[in-house]
Amino acid sequence: MLTRLCQLSCKRFFAAYLPIAAVTGLGSVAINNFELRRIGLTVAFSEVQKLKTMASVEETVIVAEAAEAAPAPEAAPVEAAAAPKEKKERAPKEKKEKPKKEPKPEQGDGKKAAGGDAKGLGLKNGKKDNFGEWYSELVVASELISYYDVSGCYILRPWAYAMWEVVQAWFDKRIKQLGVQNSYFPLFITEDVLNTEKDHVEGFAPEVAWVTKCGNTTMEKPIAIRPTSETVMYPYFAQWIRSHRDLPLRLNQWTNVVRWEFKYPTPFIRSREFLWQEGHTAFATQEEAEREVLDILELYRGVYEDLLAVPVTKGKKSKKEQFAGAFYTTTVEAYIPETGRGIQGATSHCLGQNFSKMFNIQFEDDDRQKQYAWQNSWGLTTRSLGVMIMTHADDKGLVLPPRMAPKQVVIIPIPKANTAPEMVQAMMDKVAELKEALEKQDVRVVTDTRNNYTPGWKYNHWELKGLPLRMELGPKDMDNGVVVLARRDTGAKETVAWADVAARVPVLLETIQADMFAAAKARTATCTEVCHSFEEFMTALNNKHMALTPWADEEAIEEEVKKKSTTPDAMGAKTLCLPFEAPELPEGTKCFYSGKPAKNWALWGRSY
Ligand code: 87F
């Protein structure tokens, strides 16, 4: 029975790759890397730069929208991302989407000439009152994101990209320690490979974007742009793996992927092109594969909790929510209190032998018997940055956990109008000296010695950017041989002697990191309610909480709960995961919904 279920799941998965029938009436929409005009392929990501040389200068690549979608106005609040619209497969229509107007960042110019401290630098929207607008405004004002004229695509500005690099460096180092190697597979997938299984047309197919033209010529066969790389990689796994000596094969790639989403786009959280790592591995035994699934999940927990200071729940996805091609899916789930929604942080799948049977990935064991390999795949995306921003930022702007902050401390000298030039110079020298001392301790420091901005404007500016610590140095501090340190997370201030700065700051940064995590963890804990009845469950949901329930673990229940918990204002709830760490489940405990014997605990919530 289990095998049959897996086969069905696999079929469903491969059906995803069926191209949608019509590619006429092309949506003349360029996706990031591709320019519409006759300038050939221009590829933004260095990994795929080499493709450029493969396209003639005269070629134009046009990407067809996979299916017609309601235009996705980007300025609307995140809450608007309610129940997804039915995906329909129709001939794509040309659609012009107006580029979003960016809120002008930092309206207050703070120039001294304007007089006094800068006004109007802060955000117009509050996190509590208007979460969606607050988030949209924040990511632009803090210079993380610029909107782009292709709906659902965003520019990651250096402040955001630097944070992605922190995540990359942390994770890359650790997967290499586990024995994973990086590699790079092409962006394009032929129709034939995607058409491996044609029995069912459902699942992911509407999200696959296709290249249908080069220059003015319609291509004989459209080529898909990778939404994920199983079908790209596994034919080569089949070639490379011959004997048990070729195993384990453990590959990872850092790339962009394209999924032509129709749900409401939100910077970082849901975009049509995003960055990720995808790991694909093959083992001789189930045991080794399953160990890796959990090793990777633990690293994902580490990314969220130890770097981003975001608490997550580790667990297994229900059958309904797991990746259709997987044997089972494990996940880390985060939670955004303001919207009351759960959000999938990253997934680590045990693929079992589903794909190795499909792609004929076989090896000869010690007894020269052919065996199918055991496989895993796992992925973490730039969504993680969005979860961090939503968790910690406030009405003044970003609040970055120190380990994530591209710059951790800003040093601001505060000369007064009547400060003597020699004193100003001494101040500047001290600023430079403190910077050097901190950098020796591997603290990432920026100094703001601009004399055309007021200190107040500078405070606001660096608060908006989320730097964990501000170091102030005024004339009195010069006399006393001290600096004042102000924490971004709590606003708390302390005075530190110059001689102690290099020792104190790294300790304080780690304290901030720990405090931010503890605060977020406490918030999540108060928003998780144990529920034993559907009534309690609905009360929890309507309080924007998650519900932890005993559950009979049946798909039909999950579907019914989703329907019954859908209200005119809010989407239905689903299982986020079956947590690995849960309370005892004594014999005789009943499912909160069906009253049948409970098989496990499930964490439920409305979700992104
Ligand atoms: C969208 C379009 C086409 C998700 C899709 O989770 C295919 C897919 O296969 C698709 N959206 N998926 C599942 C991805 C599974 C798996 N791949 C490797 C991961 C982690 C990284």
Side-chain angles (χ1 to χ4, degrees):
M1 182 59 185
L2 191 63
T3 328
R4 176 77 192 127
L5 276 176
C6 288
Q7 280 168 353
L8 282 174
S9 298
C10 268
K11 282 190 175 178
R12 255 201 296 163
F13 167 68
F14 282 102
Y17 291 118
L18 281 176
I20 47 133
V23 283
T24 51
L26 299 175
S28 304
V29 180
I31 306 185
N32 196 346
N33 300 343
F34 305 99
E35 290 197 13
L36 267 176
R37 290 167 295 279
R38 301 175 67 77
I39 52 170
L41 268 175
T42 52
V43 181
F45 293 89
S46 60
E47 304 99 309
V48 280
Q49 203 79 43
K50 50 188 173 265
L51 289 168
K52 195 173 174 181
T53 53
M54 290 161 61
S56 97
V57 196
E58 281 303 301
E59 278 176 344
T60 307
V61 176
I62 298 189
V63 178
E65 277 197 51
E68 189 179 358
E74 291 167 8
V78 175
E79 281 96 334
K85 290 224 168 73
E86 276 283 319
K87 289 174 196 163
K88 284 201 184 120
E89 290 194 6
R90 271 183 272 162
K93 261 192 196 162
E94 180 146 356
K95 202 170 285 139
K96 284 239 155 59
E97 285 159 311
K98 277 191 192 155
K100 183 196 182 317
K101 266 199 189 152
E102 283 188 12
K104 266 253 173 284
E106 307 195 354
Q107 283 106 345
D109 71 359
K111 296 265 168 67
K112 279 189 169 165
D117 282 359
K119 286 269 167 0
L121 225 183
L123 302 168
K124 285 200 283 297
N125 295 287
K127 186 176 188 180
K128 269 217 178 86
D129 303 334
N130 207 355
F131 186 81
E133 291 292 350
W134 164 83
Y135 181 76
S136 304
E137 188 189 358
L138 166 69
V139 292
V140 172
S142 59
E143 298 171 320
L144 292 173
I145 286 288
S146 260
Y147 284 85
Y148 191 64
D149 65 350
V150 177
S151 173
C153 295
Y154 308 95
I155 296 161
L156 300 188
R157 299 183 65 185
W159 198 239
Y161 201 82
M163 287 191 250
W164 182 235
E165 285 176 320
V166 173
V167 172
Q168 283 186 306
W170 191 97
F171 189 75
D172 202 63
K173 179 176 152 192
R174 285 163 179 81
I175 55 174
K176 282 175 181 157
Q177 282 166 354
L178 288 178
V180 177
Q181 293 175 298
N182 280 331
S183 53
Y184 185 78
F185 288 73
L187 170 73
F188 298 120
I189 315 176
T190 63
E191 199 176 354
D192 291 344
V193 169
L194 281 185
N195 272 348
T196 314
E197 163 56 67
K198 294 185 183 174
D199 285 357
H200 302 84
V201 183
E202 62 165 306
F204 301 120
E207 292 178 10
V208 178
W210 294 87
V211 181
T212 59
K213 268 185 132 189
C214 57
N216 288 327
T217 315
T218 299
M219 289 164 75
E220 222 169 89
K221 286 193 168 182
I223 291 174
I225 299 173
R226 69 168 160 240
T228 179
S229 302
E230 281 80 359
T231 56
V232 180
M233 292 177 148
Y234 298 166
Y236 296 89
F237 276 42
Q239 284 183 27
W240 298 335
I241 296 168
R242 290 276 168 257
S243 101
H244 61 91
R245 281 177 292 274
D246 300 321
L247 293 173
L249 177 60
R250 307 175 79 179
L251 300 184
N252 177 66
Q253 61 174 4
W254 292 96
T255 71
N256 57 337
V257 278
V258 170
R259 295 181 185 171
W260 218 247
E261 291 266 6
F262 307 117
K263 287 187 188 170
Y264 213 84
T266 303
F268 298 112
I269 301 295
R270 187 182 298 116
S271 53
R272 286 179 166 173
E273 181 188 5
F274 57 85
L275 304 182
W276 76 348
Q277 62 65 221
E278 54 177 323
H280 295 267
T281 56
F283 298 87
T285 63
Q286 176 172 2
E287 194 193 343
E288 287 170 278
E290 294 200 305
R291 192 181 319 131
E292 186 202 63
V293 168
L294 295 184
D295 285 348
I296 296 296
L297 196 70
E298 173 56 16
L299 290 185
Y300 288 153
R301 185 211 58 77
V303 168
Y304 274 90
E305 297 200 333
D306 304 342
L307 267 187
L308 307 168
V310 171
V312 286
T313 305
K314 276 197 207 178
K316 195 170 164 181
K317 283 283 186 189
S318 69
K319 276 277 164 225
K320 180 169 157 42
E321 293 300 326
Q322 76 171 48
F323 168 36
F327 181 34
Y328 59 84
T329 293
T330 67
T331 179
V332 288
E333 298 285 324
Y335 165 76
I336 309 297
E338 287 74 13
T339 58
R341 297 222 217 146
I343 183 160
Q344 182 175 293
T347 45
S348 176
H349 311 283
C350 178
L351 303 177
Q353 294 172 312
N354 297 345
F355 283 85
S356 62
K357 286 182 181 161
M358 204 76 76
F359 286 88
N360 204 22
I361 306 173
Q362 283 187 290
F363 66 96
E364 264 185 16
D365 65 15
D366 271 339
D367 307 324
R368 314 211 74 182
Q369 295 298 304
K370 290 227 167 186
Q371 305 277 359
Y372 286 107
W374 281 81
Q375 288 183 270
N376 297 332
S377 77
W378 25 276
L380 167 80
T381 80
T382 35
R383 165 184 274 203
S384 52
L385 300 180
V387 178
M388 174 195 74
I389 296 160
M390 287 183 169
T391 301
H392 299 299
D394 64 17
D395 290 353
K396 290 179 178 175
L398 297 174
V399 183
L400 298 179
R403 292 183 191 165
M404 283 302 298
K407 297 288 177 193
Q408 298 164 310
V409 182
V410 56
I411 311 180
I412 304 179
I414 337 174
K416 297 276 174 318
N418 59 356
T419 309
E422 311 81 65
M423 175 58 114
V424 174
Q425 189 52 52
M427 240 181 214
M428 297 303 163
D429 293 346
K430 191 40 103 184
V431 166
E433 196 186 309
L434 289 166
K435 179 175 194 264
E436 204 183 316
L438 285 171
E439 283 175 341
K440 278 199 185 128
Q441 305 299 314
D442 291 326
V443 177
R444 301 186 283 271
V445 187
V446 60
T447 58
D448 192 346
T449 56
R450 293 175 287 183
N451 57 17
N452 54 337
Y453 287 92
T454 61
W457 186 92
K458 290 179 186 179
Y459 292 3
N460 291 343
H461 171 77
W462 294 108
E463 277 173 358
L464 183 57
K465 303 281 279 185
L467 268 70
L469 273 181
R470 178 177 73 232
M471 185 182 289
E472 305 164 2
L473 183 65
K476 273 200 190 130
D477 305 317
M478 286 299 286
D479 293 343
N480 298 331
V482 298
V483 294
V484 175
L485 292 175
R487 283 173 65 156
R488 175 66 182 88
D489 62 330
T490 59
K493 287 190 174 192
E494 65 180 80
T495 302
V496 179
W498 291 341
D500 300 332
V501 164
R504 176 65 186 145
V505 168
V507 172
L508 189 52
L509 288 172
E510 278 303 293
T511 307
I512 295 171
Q513 180 83 30
D515 289 355
M516 285 178 69
F517 176 64
K521 199 170 164 83
R523 278 198 302 273
T524 302
T526 42
C527 297
T528 310
E529 290 185 42
V530 173
C531 303
H532 287 277
S533 69
F534 188 63
E535 205 188 343
E536 285 173 10
F537 178 90
M538 284 309 295
T539 308
L541 283 189
N542 294 336
N543 284 335
K544 294 190 175 174
H545 289 175
M546 290 185 288
L548 184 63
T549 73
W551 184 39
D553 199 348
E554 287 174 9
E555 203 163 324
I557 299 176
E558 208 173 346
E559 266 154 28
E560 230 178 286
V561 169
K562 189 169 185 177
K563 262 190 223 147
K564 290 243 167 90
S565 57
T566 305
T567 69
D569 306 322
M571 65 173 73
K574 59 185 188 185
T575 57
L576 304 172
C577 69
L578 315 183
F580 289 152
E581 272 178 36
E584 285 284 295
L585 192 65
E587 242 344 277
T589 308
K590 288 186 177 146
C591 170
F592 82 105
Y593 186 81
S594 66
K596 293 179 184 176
K599 290 197 183 124
N600 46 42
W601 286 93
L603 184 66
W604 302 73
R606 298 195 160 108
S607 76
Y608 282 92

